Amino acid sequence: LDVAFRFQSKDGPTVTGVGFELYQNMPNPFMNSTVIGFHLPEDTQATLSIYDEGGHLIHLQRGKFSKGYNSFPIDRSMVNVNGVLYYTLQTDNDSATRKMIQIK
């Protein structure tokens, strides 16, 4: 079995012994801003896509990230839709999707 240790600090989680992982956005639900954290097993390009409940793409962000913990800060103006949203993080080798809620 793969074992992973997760330590929480003010800068985000520190993960040891884990590969690709997409975390729940913090805070959730959110009003003005949130942070979507993720862990990468190696330096790579990553794409974050955010969709509304109907599956329409409402935000796309790409970047080159280093091995370890990284994050995308999300502001209300980027996803000006209230309710349930879905976000997907994709790299060349991995992909994961989670749900978040934006409130008024």
Side-chain angles (χ1 to χ4, degrees):
L1 297 174
D2 290 332
V3 176
F5 293 101
R6 197 173 278 120
F7 304 96
Q8 188 70 30
S9 72
K10 65 180 175 136
D11 299 324
T14 301
V15 181
T16 310
V18 136
F20 176 86
E21 194 165 344
L22 176 60
Y23 303 116
Q24 185 63 52
N25 65 301
M26 295 287 286
N28 189 41
F30 73 99
M31 195 178 280
N32 295 318
S33 64
T34 190
V35 176
I36 298 172
F38 56 98
H39 182 271
L40 298 174
E42 61 190 11
D43 295 357
T44 190
Q45 190 87 8
T47 302
L48 176 72
S49 304
I50 301 176
Y51 302 91
D52 65 13
E53 275 189 295
H56 300 101
L57 180 66
I58 57 172
H59 181 72
L60 182 72
Q61 198 169 341
R62 291 186 177 99
K64 176 85 172 137
F65 297 94
S66 59
K67 176 181 178 177
Y69 178 81
N70 295 276
S71 64
F72 282 103
I74 303 296
D75 187 72
R76 179 176 197 79
S77 63
M78 296 174 176
V79 290
N80 201 12
V81 176
N82 291 322
V84 176
L85 303 169
Y86 296 91
Y87 58 96
T88 299
L89 183 70
Q90 189 165 5
T91 67
D92 288 340
N93 300 319
D94 298 289
S95 180
T97 300
R98 288 194 173 261
K99 180 170 40 173
M100 66 181 170
I101 300 171
Q102 181 167 333
I103 56 177
K104 291 181 181 180

